[in-house]
Amino acid sequence: MARTRLVAGNWKLHGSAEMCREMVGALRMGLKDLEQVDVAIFPPYPYLPLVSNLAAESALGLGAQDISAHASGAYTGEVSGEMLREFRCGYVLCGHSERRSYHGETDQLVAEKAQAALDAGVTPIICVGETLDQREAGDTESVVGSQVDAVIEKLGPNAMDHVIIAYEPVWAIGTGKTATPDQAQAVHRFIRSKIEKLDATIAGRLRILYGGSVKSANAAELFAQPDIDGGLIGGASLKAEEFLGICGA
């Protein structure tokens, strides 16, 4: 089943107002000739209103790097899904490996955040992946399977028709290491097969992205795999030419 590709650029803790203007301008021009691919950028929170305005009436999508599990209340420092939607955020990352590692986010909290995003009409990109120790111990499927299962248990099988999953092996993020196309495909196939057991139609529509040192030089080979539907791009999304090269792959 043909699935529209998605390339998501996660700027992490990088950026400035000047960078936003330059990047969005370059991307708007460069994306005019690209078809069959959705492209979205995920700047830090302070730049969401600016990027939303700069990207208005263009094909460039906008996402946030995190979301609160709460809709409102006394939760200082958190941002709700309704707030994100006000600024044209169509996507939000849930459970990025850095949130799991540095902020102790559990599988259950990630699932709660995904539910909060759906409740607000924002598409959650649910990040899953294993550490190097877990891969070397042969626990990749166990770890990734548990992360996916927590989401299914919280949201229900039918909700998987409204989410995106990003497989990001922790050992390949910011290290320069990349899973081989075969390694990445194997995990993507594993994820899709889990959903197929619940609903083959939903599994066929589910977009599963790969994240982990994707560059324009290796993107085409990765994206050629049958179960890899695009990428969650980190450092390479900070340079317009490189990011456009990935989108074109």
Side-chain angles (χ1 to χ4, degrees):
M1 179 181 296
R3 295 176 293 272
T4 302
R5 304 299 180 113
L6 170 65
V7 180
N10 177 18
W11 291 2
K12 305 190 181 186
L13 189 57
H14 299 285
S16 65
E18 181 181 4
M19 174 190 162
C20 291
R21 295 187 182 95
E22 292 178 353
M23 282 289 294
V24 174
L27 293 178
R28 288 188 64 146
M29 289 294 294
L31 293 174
K32 286 182 178 179
D33 298 327
L34 286 181
E35 298 180 354
Q36 298 301 313
V37 61
D38 293 331
V39 179
I41 51 177
F42 294 67
Y45 277 136
Y47 302 120
L48 288 176
L50 174 60
V51 174
S52 180
N53 289 332
L54 292 170
E57 299 181 4
S58 77
L60 185 61
L62 179 63
Q65 297 178 13
D66 190 25
I67 185 174
S68 176
H70 307 284
S72 63
Y75 302 102
T76 300
E78 301 204 14
V79 177
S80 73
E82 292 291 345
M83 294 172 183
L84 296 178
R85 193 174 65 173
E86 276 200 276
F87 289 99
R88 206 180 62 83
C89 279
Y91 307 95
V92 63
L93 302 181
C94 296
H96 188 279
S97 63
E98 291 158 1
R99 298 294 308 178
R100 292 178 186 264
S101 297
Y102 304 152
H103 300 275
E105 293 194 359
T106 63
D107 294 345
Q108 289 68 36
L109 178 57
V110 172
E112 290 172 7
K113 289 187 172 189
Q115 182 66 70
L118 290 175
D119 290 345
V122 180
T123 299
I125 298 179
I126 301 163
C127 303
V128 300
E130 82 283 11
T131 65
L132 182 59
D133 287 345
Q134 289 166 337
R135 169 164 281 272
E136 291 180 341
D139 294 334
T140 294
E141 291 190 358
S142 175
V143 171
V144 172
S146 294
Q147 292 168 339
V148 174
D149 285 341
V151 173
I152 295 172
E153 182 177 349
K154 175 66 179 179
L155 274 59
N158 290 339
M160 301 306 291
D161 211 14
H162 306 286
V163 309
I164 296 168
I165 293 179
Y167 168 58
E168 43 165 21
V170 179
W171 50 271
I173 299 174
T175 63
K177 297 180 180 180
T178 308
T180 67
D182 287 344
Q183 286 175 323
Q185 165 59 22
V187 180
H188 281 236
R189 175 92 289 273
F190 167 73
I191 293 169
R192 198 179 306 281
S193 68
K194 285 185 68 67
I195 310 304
E196 283 176 347
K197 294 174 183 176
L198 302 173
D199 190 306
T201 300
I202 291 176
R205 290 193 290 250
L206 176 67
R207 289 194 285 187
I208 309 176
L209 314 182
Y210 172 74
S213 298
V214 179
K215 303 177 179 62
S216 59
N218 62 22
E221 190 175 8
L222 286 164
F223 296 166
Q225 302 303 309
D227 290 295
I228 298 181
D229 304 311
L232 176 57
I233 316 303
S237 70
L238 299 172
K239 298 179 181 179
E241 183 177 359
E242 177 72 5
F243 188 54
L244 285 168
I246 294 170
C247 295

